[in-house]
Amino acid sequence: MKKKPFILALSLLLMVLVTGCSTKEEHISIQKLENKTYHFEAYKQEIETRDAEKAKGILKNADWREYVLEKDHPKADFIFYFNDDKNEGNIAVYYVWVNPDDHVTELTRDQHKKHVKLNRDDSKTILDLLNE
């Protein structure tokens, strides 16, 4: 008789552990330009994997082109990277410029050697991630 409550409690504990382990969260570091200097805005620990994976998919499938950043180009509005990618040795730092008139973003990566201008939908996804 005493085994039933023990087995029930153990089962509930295992279900909680399995559920808790299955909801992976992404870690992202963000710096935001404020008054001509960058401020560490967030080390976001509660980015859901699906949101991060969607953003990573956009960045991976973007039409990146060779680019040379001009010396007088304004500073990026955001700088960010996915911390979890550091462990895999393939970290990419993204620099984001927001064009509020067109509702689009422009990004560079690889020390400003690659450039892409995202469409409105993809820009919104990236900005939502950065402003959560």
Side-chain angles (χ1 to χ4, degrees):
M1 278 311 238
K2 291 184 180 183
K3 289 184 179 180
K4 281 187 178 182
F6 176 74
I7 291 173
L8 180 62
L10 185 60
S11 299
L12 288 172
L13 179 64
L14 287 173
M15 286 179 10
V16 168
L17 287 174
V18 169
T19 305
C21 293
S22 65
T23 57
K24 183 183 175 207
E25 295 174 340
E26 192 70 53
H27 301 106
I28 188 172
S29 289
I30 302 169
Q31 293 182 33
K32 185 175 183 178
L33 183 65
E34 294 176 357
N35 299 326
K36 298 184 181 182
T37 58
Y38 288 103
H39 296 278
F40 186 72
E41 183 169 281
Y43 174 77
K44 295 186 175 189
Q45 297 181 0
E46 298 180 6
I47 304 291
E48 290 188 31
T49 302
R50 65 185 157 102
D51 295 337
E53 292 302 321
K54 185 175 180 181
K56 285 182 179 182
I58 289 169
L59 297 170
K60 181 181 178 184
N61 296 322
D63 187 19
W64 292 96
R65 300 189 185 251
E66 296 297 320
Y67 185 72
V68 176
L69 187 70
E70 299 168 6
K71 288 185 181 185
D72 61 343
H73 198 281
K75 288 186 173 185
D77 297 308
F78 294 96
I79 301 172
F80 76 97
Y81 60 88
F82 297 96
N83 294 60
D84 295 346
D85 290 347
K86 280 196 298 191
N87 300 335
E88 299 169 13
N90 59 352
I91 190 165
V93 178
Y94 298 96
Y95 297 80
V96 182
W97 288 266
V98 180
N99 184 340
D101 297 333
D102 296 335
H103 303 287
V104 296
T105 57
E106 293 185 49
L107 291 89
T108 63
R109 69 169 198 205
D110 301 336
Q111 299 176 347
H112 304 296
K113 294 178 184 173
K114 300 280 186 174
H115 174 268
V116 69
K117 185 173 183 176
L118 298 177
N119 63 38
R120 286 181 180 216
D121 291 337
D122 291 346
S123 293
K124 182 180 180 334
T125 300
I126 298 297
L127 290 174
D128 286 349
L129 185 72
L130 297 175
N131 289 312
E132 279 185 352

